[in-house]
Structure formats: C-alpha cells, structure tokens
C-alpha cells in the first residue's frame, strides 16, 4: 500500500508540470486531494491495516498530502506569473519610440493650411534676403493710422472698420488703442530700427469689424513687406512678387496691375491674380470677375519714410500687403474663407500631417 501511495505521488509530480492553466491544476488537485480523491482512498483503506502499518502509512499519506498542497500553490503562482509575463511581452509599448505613441493615439493632427503657407512664405522671403519681423496685435493709433499718412478724419479710415479699445481717460493719438487693422503697422516700427538698405516682411493676424461672407472674415492674415534703399522701382516689386507667387503655386501665375489708392504709398497699385479656383470663369471667391485682389502695393510715401526716420530725398522703397488667407484659398481650392476659422477637424486634417 505504501508503494501504491508513492506511485500516486509520482504520477502527480509528473502530471503537474504538463498543465498549462490554473483550471487544470485545480482539477488535478480535486483528483488527488478531493473528498473522493486518490489520497482519500488510500486513507480509507487504512482501516484494514495493522496498527504499525497504519502509523507508517498514515504519517506518509499526510506528508504526501501536504507536499501536494504546497506543489499546487507553487504551480498556481508560477502560472499567474507566466500569464503576466506573456501580457507584458505582447502589449509592450516603447513610449520613447515616436511611431508606437502615434499608433496608439487615434488622432494624429495636422498643420493648419494658413500656418503651412505662412511658413513657406517666410522661407521664400528669407531665401531672398528679407528679415522677418513681428508686431503687436494691440496697436496704438499712431502706428496703425497717423504714421501711415492716415490722419483722423481721413476718409481712408472708413476703409478699415476698426475694433477700438475704449479709454475714456486718455484720447491722445499715442494712447488710443485698437486691434491692428493691417500689418502695415510694422512698417514704421521696422524703419525706425534700421538704416537703409533693408528689406523685411511682417506676417501676422489682423482684425476688422466686418460682416463675414465667403471672402471676408473679422480675423485674417496679411504679410506686410517692405524694401527700402536707393533707386528702388516698381519693377523690383513686380519681380519679387512674381517669383513668390510662382513658387507658391508651382506654376506661372497671370497677374495684372491696376492703380489703387492707399495713403501710405504713391503711386499705389492693386496686384490681382487670375482666379485659380474657377480659372477666370467667375466664382464666389473672385466675385464673378475672374480676378482676385491679392496684393495691394506701391512706392512708399515720403511722409511715411519721414515718420520712420528715413530721409525721402536720399532713399525710396516699395511696400506691399499680401492677403495670406486668399493665397491659401487659391492654393487649395477653398471657396469660403470661413472654413479657415471653423475649427472643424475634418477640414484641418486634410492638410499636412505630422
Ligand atoms: N494695409 C493695406 C490694407 O490692409 C494693404 C496695403 C496696401 C499694404 C498697400 C501695403 C501697401 O504695404 O503698399 O488694406
């Protein structure tokens, strides 16, 4: 009977390592240690044994029972650890790897088309020797109007519906503040910190209290540009603008120059491009005329040079104000400027992804 017990124990020790799940181990446990299990059978048969045999056999049977119990607990905890290791290996994410983080996230984001073209334009102008300047959104009346040859009561002020900040205590020109209506404000700031010759651009947001429609927004973007030196002519301006537009649209663009009135330039022009959305046939963006006003420009007015601390008898220059949002619309065939500020991710995610 002792032999039978040892054989049982041996069988158990052989079976245990072959089991791969805790359920199988618990079943085996029941088979050996259960009420009607193998060990219980052995113990039951003790009643037929002699007292000496019973002592030996009983002691051994209880020892085997304890050992089986211990082996089972160990095996169960081994199985649990194996399971954890397996999960760790299969669900491993290396957060230092860019792609694994991107793959785990559902949205990968995009660059806003205005930002895309903004950066492209900066690169292009930098490659042509221009500096890039910045200016405040909240401006004083002097930089937005006076220094640009637009005194109070000048009819040109009506062309730019302005968001004013109300300051009942101080109404002087240097202290009345507004949200800049154009990036031309950077002209005087840029000039007064430089000696000619120089050339710079100033891209940024501008604000107008306007009614919105397919081609007008209250917040939009301009790129102001200025080149000051000796003997600068309109042909310099046309050359630079044609080069820029060709790079941006990756093809020759048809342009036309019309006289335009802006108090800070003389002569002033409107540079239009052939509408690329409808190919000149007429659409909501070009207001059915086939041309889009993209670039008002001109030769800097002597009064403005003087306001910037530059002697107009020695130097001259050109300036332009490129409409960035229109450029974006032409480039991507967007027919309503309001999409650009809609905050709609379905719109933005169509552009370049990180
Ligand atoms: N600041 C003008 C506007 O927002 C645009 C402009 C016109 C800028 C002529 C210029 C320029 O530099 O020469 O309407």
């Amino acid at each position: 009977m002792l032999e039978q017990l040892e054989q049982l124990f041996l069988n158990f020790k052989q079976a245990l390592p072959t089991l791969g799940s805790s359920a199988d181990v618990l079943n085996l446990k029941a088979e050996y240690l259960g009420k009607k299990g193998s060990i219980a059978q052995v113990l039951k048969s003790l009643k037929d044994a002699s007292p000496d045999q019973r002592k030996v056999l009983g002691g051994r049977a209880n020892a085997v029972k304890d050992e089986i119990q211990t082996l089972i607990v160990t095996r169960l905890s081994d199985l649990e650890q194996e399971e954890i290791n397996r999960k760790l290996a299969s669900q491993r994410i290396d957060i230092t790897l860019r792609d694994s983080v991107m793959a785990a996230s559902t949205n990968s984001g995009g660059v806003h088309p205005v930002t895309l073209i903004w950066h492209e334009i900066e690169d292009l102008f930098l490659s042509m020797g221009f500096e890039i300047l910045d200016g405040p959104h909240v401006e004083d009346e002097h930089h937005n109007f006076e220094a640009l040859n637009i005194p109070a009561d000048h009819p040109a002020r009506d062309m730019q519906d302005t968001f004013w900040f109300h300051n009942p205590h101080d109404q002087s020109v240097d202290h009345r503040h507004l949200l800049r209506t154009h990036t031309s404000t950077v002209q005087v700031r840029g000039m007064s910190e430089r000696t000619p010759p120089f050339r710079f651009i100033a891209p940024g947001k501008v604000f107008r209290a306007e009614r919105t429609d397919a081609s007008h927004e209250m917040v939009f973007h301009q790129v102001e540009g200025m080149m000051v030196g000796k003997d600068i002519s309109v042909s310099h301006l046309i050359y630079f603008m044609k080069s820029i537009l060709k790079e941006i649209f990756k093809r020759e663009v048809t342009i036309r120059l019309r006289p335009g009135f802006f108090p800070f330039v003389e002569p002033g022009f409107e540079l239009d491009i052939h509408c690329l959305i409808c190919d000149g046939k007429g659409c909501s963006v070009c207001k059915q005329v086939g041309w889009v006003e993209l670039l008002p420009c001109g030769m800097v007015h002597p009064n403005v040079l003087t306001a910037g601390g530059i002697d107009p008898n020695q130097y001259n220059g050109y300036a332009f104000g490129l409409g960035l949002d229109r450029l974006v619309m032409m480039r991507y065939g967007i027919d309503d400027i309001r999409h650009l500020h809609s905050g709609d991710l379905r719109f933005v995610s169509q552009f370049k992804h990180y």
Side-chain angles (χ1 to χ4, degrees):
M1 229 189 281
L2 194 59
E3 262 172 39
Q4 200 189 335
L5 180 65
E6 294 304 340
Q7 187 59 49
L8 269 179
F9 190 31
L10 198 65
N11 292 349
F12 172 83
K13 284 195 283 192
Q14 280 168 355
L16 188 63
T18 67
L19 304 178
S21 76
S22 0
D24 288 348
V25 172
L26 292 174
N27 282 336
L28 188 73
K29 180 182 172 189
E31 223 175 88
Y32 281 80
L33 302 185
K35 265 193 198 150
K36 291 182 182 154
S38 326
I39 302 293
Q41 301 293 336
V42 174
L43 291 174
K44 217 189 243 173
S45 60
L46 281 181
K47 64 179 189 317
D48 304 326
S50 68
D52 279 354
Q53 270 182 327
R54 203 179 297 164
K55 204 170 166 193
V56 177
L57 204 60
R60 180 62 188 143
N62 280 324
V64 166
K65 210 170 143 180
D66 288 348
E67 279 185 57
I68 288 182
Q69 187 67 40
T70 314
L71 287 170
I72 287 200
V73 170
T74 314
R75 181 73 188 132
L76 282 175
S77 92
D78 285 354
L79 279 175
E80 196 179 334
Q81 191 57 46
E82 277 170 29
E83 176 66 8
I84 290 172
N85 290 344
R86 208 170 26 244
K87 276 194 182 153
L88 282 176
S90 69
Q91 297 171 6
R92 182 184 157 87
I93 294 179
D94 181 349
I95 55 162
T96 62
L97 279 180
R98 188 171 164 274
D99 285 347
S100 61
V101 177
M102 296 312 280
S105 71
T106 48
N107 277 328
S108 60
V111 181
H112 194 282
V114 169
T115 313
L116 267 178
I117 300 234
W118 180 327
H119 290 167
E120 256 182 56
I121 287 180
E122 284 189 348
D123 286 346
L124 284 169
F125 275 104
L126 276 174
S127 73
M128 298 199 295
F130 283 71
E131 284 177 79
I132 299 184
L133 305 190
D134 202 2
H137 289 170
V138 176
E139 259 298 2
D140 53 59
E141 190 173 357
H142 173 75
H143 284 93
N144 200 88
F145 291 124
E146 300 286 323
L148 292 170
N149 208 24
I150 320 176
D153 306 327
H154 191 289
R157 287 212 181 186
D158 295 343
M159 287 157 60
Q160 304 191 347
D161 293 320
T162 310
F163 286 112
W164 288 96
F165 288 95
H166 187 55
N167 180 357
H169 306 299
D170 192 346
Q171 292 291 312
S172 62
V173 165
D174 281 334
H175 295 98
R176 284 219 305 173
H177 286 86
L178 48 90
L179 285 176
R180 70 174 179 191
T181 55
H182 51 183
T183 45
S184 304
T185 51
V186 186
Q187 285 192 11
V188 172
R189 292 184 180 279
M191 279 190 285
S192 50
E193 289 161 0
R194 284 171 179 71
T195 39
F198 56 77
R199 47 181 103 161
F200 58 77
I201 60 163
K205 276 191 168 46
V206 297
F207 309 84
R208 302 261 175 103
E210 283 198 86
R211 187 169 292 210
T212 60
D213 62 29
S215 50
H216 292 91
E217 260 288 13
M218 284 191 259
V219 182
F220 53 102
H221 302 82
Q222 290 181 337
V223 180
E224 192 73 14
M226 194 170 211
M227 181 167 182
V228 174
K230 282 192 191 290
D231 304 323
I232 307 245
S233 71
V234 178
S235 15
H236 288 111
L237 169 64
I238 296 176
Y239 166 76
F240 276 110
M241 290 335 296
K242 275 199 109 170
S243 316
I244 289 289
L245 295 173
K246 188 176 158 191
E247 285 294 330
I248 288 178
F249 294 114
K250 316 276 182 244
R251 57 172 149 144
E252 289 289 345
V253 179
T254 315
I255 64 167
R256 72 175 185 189
L257 218 54
R258 291 179 290 124
F261 172 71
F262 306 96
F264 31 95
V265 281
E266 180 56 39
F269 307 100
E270 288 281 6
L271 189 151
D272 303 338
I273 68 164
H274 208 220
C275 182
L276 299 173
I277 296 222
C278 60
D279 217 11
K281 289 189 200 70
C283 67
S284 63
V285 171
C286 62
K287 300 208 185 83
Q288 316 303 332
V289 291
W291 292 91
V292 178
E293 285 180 15
L294 195 64
L295 191 87
C297 52
M299 302 306 291
V300 184
H301 195 288
N303 290 354
V304 177
L305 287 171
T306 308
I310 288 169
D311 180 0
N313 296 317
Q314 277 198 57
Y315 299 104
N316 72 342
Y318 68 71
F320 60 85
L322 181 64
L324 196 56
D325 308 71
R326 295 240 172 110
L327 204 60
V328 172
M329 292 165 76
M330 289 290 124
R331 157 94 164 251
Y332 292 111
I334 300 166
D335 62 1
D336 193 322
I337 192 172
R338 290 167 292 195
H339 287 307
L340 297 176
H341 283 263
S342 63
D344 188 337
L345 291 180
R346 290 169 306 175
F347 170 76
V348 185
S349 59
Q350 297 172 57
F351 302 90
K352 187 169 149 188
H353 286 257
Y354 282 115

